[in-house]
């Protein structure tokens, strides 16, 4: 009898959790490799338009971002505003913004710098054209109209 | 005594390792983003100096006029058009398959003519080795010869053929991107077809880093150049 009782008490052995850290580390490394740091907080609402003929930006370090959209904080109204470096800006500030971005980089890399326009789909072209004209004036001619991947 | 020595220092408990790893994992999940930045690449034209001479007049048939108004409606070559028709329209403009009078007149580039031109430019350069316009001319025609070597004799668009895009200040950005996208798509599809026919590989799959394929890219661009010019915007007149 005692033989039977002892086996019943044991039941199933506990699942070993020794490999759990390995599994989690694997996940961790996967995320470290496939993602990149969230760099800028947005203070304007940007829902990008979609397009199919898009190029992926390979070298993210060479891209400056200009956000355009209505402020997320409704106290600032609903007219679209320009965001540079986490603060509201005007057209005239773009020159300083680009100059500073240039200073932070090696002179040999200057021709590679591009400007990514992250513009909300409902913004009027008037504002976008003003930005483009300013970029032309200061000689920042490489522009990416940032979009989502659309379906053909 | 002997037993104690055998035991040595106790093993470090690895039970919390999983917790530490989870903590790190969650940290990275929160602070990083997965989205890669992608978009339509464009090179803006350099600013025009105030005293620049007026550009030469271009024949009407060589310009594909695309207008977008404040209500996001398209007027292409004087006719109202849906965005879905724009791609086919652009393709017809760039290829002119029926040889229509009111579309750009494509010219057949023959090997004989190109080599003749190169020879004459070389002769000019021999007499005036520092003349930059001769140098540019020679470069241009050598590029055409390379294209003929890769693609055979081809129909070339006139140099003045251009897609002219003009939008209103109140056109929505979404519409503008859609128009840009359709125009680019038309050109990319023509390039893909040509590349598929000649090299058995899509244009978009050619790698710039491989020398042979870079030459192919340049040749295909010679046949179907991406020339989209954007006019200064209309200022809406408020009555």
């Amino acid at each position: 009898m005692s033989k039977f009782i002892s086996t019943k008490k044991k039941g199933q052995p506990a699942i070993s959790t020794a490999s759990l850290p390995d599994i989690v580390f694997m996940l961790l490394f996967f995320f470290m490799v496939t993602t990149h740091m969230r760099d800028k907080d947005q203070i304007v609402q940007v829902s990008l338009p979609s397009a199919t003929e898009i190029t992926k930006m390979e070298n993210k370090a060479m891209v400056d971002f200009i956000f355009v959209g209505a402020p997320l904080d409704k106290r600032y109204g609903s007219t679209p505003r320009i965001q540079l470096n986490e603060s509201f800006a005007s057209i005239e500030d773009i020159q300083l913004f680009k100059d500073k971005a240039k200073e932070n980089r090696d002179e040999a890399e200057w021709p590679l710098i591009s400007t990514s326009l992250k513009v909300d789909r409902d913004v009027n072209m008037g504002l976008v054209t003003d930005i483009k004209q300013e970029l032309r004036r200061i000689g920042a001619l490489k522009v990416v109209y940032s979009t989502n991947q659309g379906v053909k | 005594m002997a037993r104690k020595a055998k035991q040595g220092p106790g093993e470090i408990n690895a039970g919390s390792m999983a917790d530490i790893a989870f903590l790190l994992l969650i940290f990275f999940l929160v602070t990083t983003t997965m989205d890669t930045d992608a978009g339509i690449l464009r090179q803006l034209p350099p600013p025009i100096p105030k005293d620049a001479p007026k550009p030469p007049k271009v024949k009407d048939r060589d310009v594909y006029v695309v207008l977008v108004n404040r209500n996001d409606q398209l007027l292409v070559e004087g006719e109202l058009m849906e965005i879905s028709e724009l791609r086919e329209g652009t393709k017809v403009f760039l290829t002119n398959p029926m040889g229509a009078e009111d579309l750009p007149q494509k010219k057949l580039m023959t090997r004989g003519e190109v080599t003749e031109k190169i020879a004459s430019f070389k002769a000019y350069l021999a007499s005036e080795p520092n003349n930059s316009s001769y140098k540019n001319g020679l470069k241009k025609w050598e590029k055409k010869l390379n294209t003929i070597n890769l693609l055979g004799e081809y129909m070339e668009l006139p140099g003045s053929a251009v897609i002219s895009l003009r939008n209103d200040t109140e056109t929505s950005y979404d519409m503008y991107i859609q128009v840009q996208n359709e125009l680019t798509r038309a050109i990319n599809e023509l390039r893909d077809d040509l590349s598929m026919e000649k090299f058995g590989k899509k244009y978009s799959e050619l790698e710039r880093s491989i020398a042979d394929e870079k030459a192919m890219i340049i040749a295909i661009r010679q046949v179907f150049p991406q020339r989209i010019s954007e006019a200064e915007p209309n200022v809406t007149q408020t009555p």
Side-chain angles (χ1 to χ4, degrees):
Chain A
M1 270 314 271
S2 62
K3 214 184 184 178
F4 288 109
I5 291 163
S6 70
T7 44
K8 234 185 183 178
K9 249 187 187 173
K10 257 191 193 166
Q12 293 258 309
I15 299 167
S16 164
T17 54
S19 56
L20 189 59
D22 302 339
I23 297 166
V24 178
F25 267 117
M26 215 160 70
L27 269 175
L28 176 65
F29 289 138
F30 170 75
F31 276 100
M32 280 171 72
V33 170
T34 54
T35 63
H36 39 79
M37 282 285 172
R38 199 191 295 272
D39 35 16
K40 294 268 154 45
D41 272 338
Q42 282 184 26
I43 54 171
V44 293
Q45 169 70 42
V46 175
S47 60
L48 295 172
S50 22
T52 55
E53 308 304 307
I54 56 177
T55 325
K56 280 216 171 96
M57 298 304 295
E58 300 293 349
N59 199 348
K60 244 199 151 186
M62 287 295 115
V63 187
D64 300 325
F65 291 96
I66 297 179
F67 297 91
V68 184
L72 280 172
D73 191 339
K74 290 288 167 264
R75 282 177 296 177
Y76 296 110
S78 58
T79 6
R81 302 279 296 272
I82 301 168
Q83 177 195 344
L84 303 170
N85 288 333
E86 304 189 20
S87 60
F88 292 122
S90 64
I91 297 279
E92 293 76 35
D93 298 329
I94 293 175
Q95 180 159 24
L96 189 66
F97 168 74
K98 289 297 291 183
D99 283 349
K100 276 197 178 153
K102 248 184 175 179
E103 269 173 33
N104 291 337
R105 297 189 178 110
D106 204 53
E107 200 168 335
E109 295 171 337
W110 285 2
L112 302 175
I113 301 176
S114 55
T115 313
S116 175
L117 293 177
K118 288 195 175 252
V119 183
D120 189 272
R121 52 197 307 165
D122 296 326
V123 170
N124 283 345
M125 273 312 287
L127 183 57
V128 181
T129 310
D130 289 346
I131 295 169
K132 272 163 62 189
Q133 294 295 58
E134 179 69 7
L135 288 174
R136 273 178 74 185
R137 196 179 66 76
I138 60 179
L141 300 178
K142 262 178 102 172
V143 164
V144 184
Y145 301 111
S146 195
T147 61
N148 291 330
Q149 171 76 60
V151 206
K152 283 199 182 183
Chain B
M1 277 300 279
R3 245 186 208 174
K4 247 186 189 173
K6 247 185 188 173
Q7 253 183 347
E11 256 184 62
I12 298 169
N13 182 16
S16 56
M17 182 85 108
D19 301 342
I20 298 168
F22 262 119
L23 214 73
L24 274 172
L25 176 65
I26 288 163
F27 170 75
F28 272 96
L29 277 179
V30 170
T31 54
T32 61
T33 49
M34 221 158 176
D35 62 309
T36 45
D37 198 45
I40 301 176
L41 209 70
R42 279 283 179 276
Q43 186 86 18
L44 297 176
I48 308 158
K50 280 217 173 77
D51 53 348
K54 274 200 169 178
K57 272 224 160 185
V58 180
K59 288 189 192 101
D60 273 351
R61 66 175 185 207
D62 283 349
V63 186
Y64 193 64
V65 186
V66 181
L67 303 167
V68 193
N69 77 357
R70 55 195 297 178
N71 300 323
D72 290 353
Q73 289 167 313
L74 276 180
L75 193 74
V76 180
E77 295 279 67
E79 277 173 49
L80 206 64
M81 197 185 248
E82 289 297 320
I83 183 86
S84 51
E85 300 163 35
L86 181 62
R87 182 157 45 108
E88 280 310 311
T90 314
K91 277 185 169 179
V92 170
F93 171 79
L94 288 172
T95 49
N96 193 2
M98 313 297 280
E101 281 287 310
D102 54 350
L103 290 175
Q105 303 300 302
K106 297 192 103 176
K107 195 163 159 269
L108 183 68
M109 285 287 143
T110 57
R111 187 180 291 275
E113 191 195 347
V114 174
T115 41
E116 204 175 280
K117 283 273 183 189
I118 289 177
S120 66
F121 269 110
K122 276 189 175 153
Y124 292 146
L125 265 179
S127 57
E128 279 181 72
N130 291 321
N131 191 321
S132 60
S133 69
Y134 290 157
K135 271 183 196 163
N136 288 340
L138 182 65
K139 233 184 239 169
K140 195 173 106 189
W141 285 96
E142 275 177 345
K143 212 169 154 189
K144 289 181 185 180
L145 185 65
N146 284 338
T147 309
I148 292 176
N149 285 339
L150 276 171
L151 296 172
E153 295 179 347
Y154 66 100
M155 301 292 277
E156 194 183 62
L157 269 178
S160 53
V162 71
I163 298 164
S164 161
L165 174 60
R166 183 189 277 266
N167 54 267
D168 193 275
T169 47
E170 284 176 62
T171 305
S172 79
Y173 182 68
D174 189 29
M175 188 63 188
Y176 173 78
I177 289 295
Q178 278 186 50
V179 172
Q180 285 274 14
N181 189 50
E182 288 302 307
L183 295 177
T184 319
R185 195 168 157 193
I187 297 168
N188 282 349
E189 281 183 5
L190 288 174
R191 286 174 171 177
D192 273 349
D193 289 349
L194 180 68
S195 180
M196 205 64 198
E197 186 194 324
K198 300 287 181 186
F199 309 129
K201 199 173 176 186
K202 275 188 173 177
Y203 170 80
S204 46
E205 286 162 6
L206 296 175
E207 294 284 345
R208 288 189 74 87
S209 47
I210 305 168
D212 286 356
E213 300 202 343
K214 195 178 177 187
M216 292 177 190
I217 290 178
I218 293 171
I220 287 169
R221 283 188 181 176
Q222 179 72 27
V223 182
F224 293 117
Q226 176 171 304
R227 281 198 292 253
I228 301 173
S229 117
E230 288 180 60
E232 312 287 312
N234 275 326
V235 180
T236 318
Q237 305 260 310
T238 39

